Amino acid sequence: MNKHGQRFKGKVALVTGGGGGIGSAAAARLAGEGAQVVVCDADAGAAGRTADRLVEDGLAARLLAFDVTSSGEVEAAVASVVDEFGGVDVLVNNAGINRRGALLDLTAADWDASFAVNVDALFHLCRAVLPRMIEAGGGAIVNTASQWGLHPAPGHIAYNVSKAAVVVFTQNLARDYAPMGVRVNAVCPGEVHTPMLEAGLRRSGRTVADLDALVPFGRIGRPEEVAALIAFLASDEAPYMCGSIVEITGAQAVC
Ligand code: NAD
């Protein structure tokens, strides 16, 4: 028995951005707790490495490479999961990009890409998955927003505004579909040590220790810590959590 239990035994979970830091940890946590996990990412190599690691550990995971910004690819991907596994019980909308810059430093393409990946993808994925969840009598959706969607850090306007949209999307979807038994929640992480964060450090010249020093808890977050929260929100242990926006920050204030 996994040390965390088997809260997802018999469930099918689809995790986007499953090749990245938080997504691969979420996939591992859900699979470790018994889910059949579909590891989704535009980066087939990264998602394949996540899925392979889980399969090597004897867990049920498989790779599904597609671009979350393409409604056609999303529909085909969800249809293939439903064909193969019978439905989708848990959807983790976690793929994201962070195009840095204040308004005058950004291109229109940066702005559009931020919204395509961080927001429009949720529209495509939820529209594809919700009818299956409703048919099945319920389901759980967890969206990865960001602390910066609630408290915007300077110099990241496209990212912050897109993550604010994820927050309101989550609350709105929860209110519309709670009557059908679909719970929708969002996590709002502060700084978490992932490839996305490493890319930011390379650009800024800062170090992990610099970021650690800004967190009252003494260090930035770990992907596994966000994954644990995602799993809790997706699990039957959170039956009355619906429309909740949960910050996970080590008490860090945005400055
Ligand atoms: P990451 O870069 O490690 O992972 C993101 C993954 O999303 C990558 O594997 C990437 O290939 C995938 N992706 C990007 N565009 C895609 C597309 N069009 N289609 C399919 N997949 C695509 O980043 P991470 O830090 O693990 O971030 C995961 C989520 O957490 C993101 O939504 C991010 O905004 C959010 N977040 C991260 C932090 C942090 O400090 N790392 C903080 C708050 C929120």
Side-chain angles (χ1 to χ4, degrees), residues 96-178:
I97 57 169
N98 183 357
R99 294 284 166 89
R100 289 164 179 76
L103 194 69
L104 297 179
D105 306 321
L106 288 172
T107 63
D110 288 326
W111 184 266
D112 290 347
S114 301
F115 278 79
V117 180
N118 295 351
V119 186
D120 297 353
L122 276 62
F123 174 83
H124 303 316
L125 276 146
C126 292
R127 275 173 65 91
V129 162
L130 267 168
R132 318 295 183 175
M133 289 184 169
I134 293 167
E135 222 172 80
I141 298 174
V142 183
N143 299 323
T144 308
S146 169
Q147 184 190 24
W148 294 359
L150 299 170
H151 315 284
H156 296 76
I157 190 166
Y159 183 75
N160 297 344
V161 177
S162 70
K163 291 298 186 178
V166 174
V167 168
V168 178
F169 182 94
T170 300
Q171 293 167 321
N172 204 140
L173 201 70
R175 282 166 196 152
D176 288 342
Y177 292 98

Side-chain angles (χ1 to χ4, degrees), residues 6-222:
Q6 289 286 292
R7 292 178 295 186
F8 299 98
K9 203 168 169 49
K11 307 244 177 176
V12 178
L14 201 149
V15 181
T16 73
I22 294 171
S24 59
R29 180 67 189 246
L30 295 169
E33 290 201 47
Q36 164 64 59
V37 172
V38 183
V39 183
C40 309
D41 207 293
D43 182 340
R49 285 190 289 281
T50 301
D52 288 349
R53 265 199 314 275
L54 298 179
V55 169
E56 273 162 28
D57 288 346
L59 302 173
R62 96 145 162 84
L63 152 75
L64 195 56
F66 64 94
D67 181 346
V68 293
T69 69
S70 159
S71 60
E73 288 186 33
V74 167
E75 276 166 31
V78 170
S80 78
V81 172
V82 171
D83 274 355
E84 189 173 350
F85 302 114
V88 178
D89 303 291
V90 172
L91 167 64
V92 182
N93 280 311
N94 168 81
I97 57 169
N98 183 357
R99 294 284 166 89
R100 289 164 179 76
L103 194 69
L104 297 179
D105 306 321
L106 288 172
T107 63
D110 288 326
W111 184 266
D112 290 347
S114 301
F115 278 79
V117 180
N118 295 351
V119 186
D120 297 353
L122 276 62
F123 174 83
H124 303 316
L125 276 146
C126 292
R127 275 173 65 91
V129 162
L130 267 168
R132 318 295 183 175
M133 289 184 169
I134 293 167
E135 222 172 80
I141 298 174
V142 183
N143 299 323
T144 308
S146 169
Q147 184 190 24
W148 294 359
L150 299 170
H151 315 284
H156 296 76
I157 190 166
Y159 183 75
N160 297 344
V161 177
S162 70
K163 291 298 186 178
V166 174
V167 168
V168 178
F169 182 94
T170 300
Q171 293 167 321
N172 204 140
L173 201 70
R175 282 166 196 152
D176 288 342
Y177 292 98
M180 289 82 160
V182 181
R183 294 186 304 101
V184 190
N185 295 290
V187 297
C188 288
E191 308 272 20
V192 184
H193 198 169
T194 67
M196 179 186 281
L197 180 124
E198 286 285 347
L201 291 178
R202 281 194 294 278
R203 263 190 294 267
S204 68
R206 294 200 291 179
T207 64
V208 171
D210 294 334
L211 298 186
D212 286 345
L214 300 172
V215 185
F217 199 70
R219 61 167 176 79
I220 62 172
R222 299 176 182 135

